[in-house]
Amino acid sequence: MATKHTGSKSSRHGRKRRGPAQPMGHTRAGQIAWVLGAFARALRPLVRLALAFGVKHAHLEELLRDLLLDEARRAWLEKGTEPNISQLSVTTGLNRKAVTSRVRDTAVSLPQSEMSAEARTLTLWLQMFADDPAQRLLPIVSDDESVPSFEAVARRASRGNVHHRAILDELVRLRMVIERDGKAELAVEGFVPADDLKGMLSFLGDNGRDHLLAGVSNILGNRPALLERSVFASGISLAECERIHQLARERWNGLHHEMTREMRLAFEAAGEQKTARMRVGIYTYYEDGLGENTALPAAPSESPGRKSS
């Protein structure tokens, strides 16, 4: 099929190119455009969350500046250099005054989910339950070491660093465990703090961060490729989406227990001197109707109720 050729601006003015045009993706500007495109897709759900909770542009701008500086400093440190103000300014594009005012320790506002004694305790307990359904119900304490107890599970999961009573109280508060008559009973199938906004946001941040870190690591190519794959389809019914969603849930349950067992054994064998961390996850998302690839209606060019003169 014949294609219509459209000349460049320079060719229309009769100027000759000195060489073949470089593909946009091979130029610095082209690569930046691609990165920003991926950035926009990854940020869109977080912008949706921000708007739902009343987060404003000023909050996001301050956060982005802090993250730019933090990651810029990290990049320099990986090269063996403690960066000065000028180096951070050039790397981030922030002026020296902004860099000087923001070189400080970043405050952590959310708990790290992998450091949660409650999550580790419940995960270990769920593994025990998967191996033996009778262990859904445990005595809180037991004088007989041969009888599993919640106290023993909590001590094993937290390496004795957190008292079992504090862990149990938190799990009861989150409605993940029921306490009655000196016994504790599992009330959930996984550590998903659905009634705790702070906990849910913590998992959102940690799960999303590690998923993106795997993809970023693969793109930068500075280590062996990490597992980061998905399957997808469009043009199917919502009923089929839900059927496949349930299939993914069922298959994940088996893999979840296997991964949990392997991580627990690795954790117990490592001792406190080991510092590596790992996260394995799965996700499913589907929608019908307006998605990010669907064009929005044109925004009004003037305020409602105001007429142009």
Side-chain angles (χ1 to χ4, degrees):
M1 182 176 68
T3 59
K4 182 178 179 180
H5 174 73
T6 303
S8 67
K9 183 177 181 180
S10 59
S11 67
R12 288 199 302 271
H13 287 273
R15 288 196 288 257
K16 294 182 179 179
R17 289 198 179 103
R18 299 190 180 187
Q22 193 173 21
M24 183 179 179
H26 293 170
T27 67
R28 185 67 172 172
Q31 291 177 346
I32 288 176
W34 287 351
V35 170
L36 289 176
F39 201 72
R41 290 187 187 181
L43 275 182
R44 184 179 295 275
L46 297 179
V47 170
R48 185 178 301 176
L49 177 69
L51 292 174
F53 282 87
V55 176
K56 305 301 182 187
H57 172 268
H59 301 131
L60 295 176
E61 182 180 38
E62 181 179 9
L63 176 64
L64 182 57
R65 287 180 178 178
D66 288 345
L67 289 174
L68 277 170
L69 283 171
D70 191 36
E71 287 300 313
R73 182 169 179 267
R74 186 191 305 275
W76 278 101
L77 289 175
E78 288 177 350
K79 298 176 182 179
T81 301
E82 176 64 61
N84 57 36
I85 299 297
S86 295
Q87 289 169 322
L88 290 175
S89 177
V90 170
T91 302
T92 62
L94 295 169
N95 62 49
R96 290 173 55 88
K97 182 178 179 181
V99 173
T100 302
S101 66
R102 293 175 183 275
V103 174
R104 54 180 173 78
D105 292 332
T106 303
V108 178
S109 59
L110 287 174
Q112 302 291 332
S113 59
E114 64 263 29
M115 300 301 293
S116 165
E118 297 81 36
R120 293 202 298 261
T121 298
L122 194 75
T123 299
L124 174 56
W125 190 1
L126 286 167
Q127 184 62 55
M128 295 166 55
F129 168 66
D131 295 336
D132 179 8
Q135 296 194 25
R136 173 184 288 275
L137 188 68
L138 295 177
I140 295 176
V141 295
S142 175
D143 295 330
D144 185 352
E145 294 185 358
S146 65
V147 176
S149 67
F150 180 86
E151 179 187 24
V153 174
R155 183 173 62 250
R156 182 177 169 187
S158 68
R159 290 194 173 127
N161 292 325
V162 184
H163 195 274
H164 75 277
R165 186 70 249 180
I167 296 175
L168 179 59
D169 288 344
E170 181 63 8
L171 290 174
V172 170
R173 184 186 73 82
L174 294 173
R175 301 180 186 177
M176 295 180 177
V177 172
I178 299 169
E179 179 186 1
R180 56 171 171 259
D181 301 327
K183 295 183 178 181
E185 180 180 0
L186 277 171
V188 293
E189 296 181 355
F191 192 88
V192 182
D195 294 326
D196 178 39
L197 176 61
K198 189 173 184 179
M200 291 177 68
L201 289 171
S202 178
F203 271 95
L204 169 64
D206 288 343
N207 291 338
R209 174 203 60 200
D210 285 353
H211 186 174
L212 290 172
L213 281 175
V216 169
S217 176
N218 290 345
I219 290 172
L220 297 180
N222 50 13
R223 61 183 296 180
L226 294 164
L227 176 63
E228 203 264 322
R229 301 176 62 186
S230 64
V231 292
F232 41 87
S234 60
I236 61 179
S237 69
L238 277 177
E240 284 295 286
C241 290
E242 181 55 29
R243 181 184 66 80
I244 298 169
H245 180 204
Q246 293 306 318
L247 174 63
R249 282 183 176 274
E250 293 168 7
R251 296 294 176 86
W252 169 245
N253 284 339
L255 181 59
H256 173 268
H257 292 310
E258 184 178 353
M259 291 293 100
T260 300
R261 181 183 294 107
E262 293 299 317
M263 289 185 185
R264 175 174 58 81
L265 293 174
F267 175 77
E268 293 175 349
E272 295 188 7
Q273 72 277 11
K274 303 298 182 181
T275 59
R277 71 178 187 87
M278 184 178 191
R279 187 180 298 258
V280 178
I282 187 173
Y283 68 92
T284 300
Y285 180 75
Y286 63 87
E287 64 181 359
D288 191 20
L290 190 64
E292 71 169 281
N293 294 324
T294 305
L296 291 168
S301 59
E302 57 187 36
S303 300
R306 181 180 299 174
K307 296 182 179 181
S308 301
S309 57

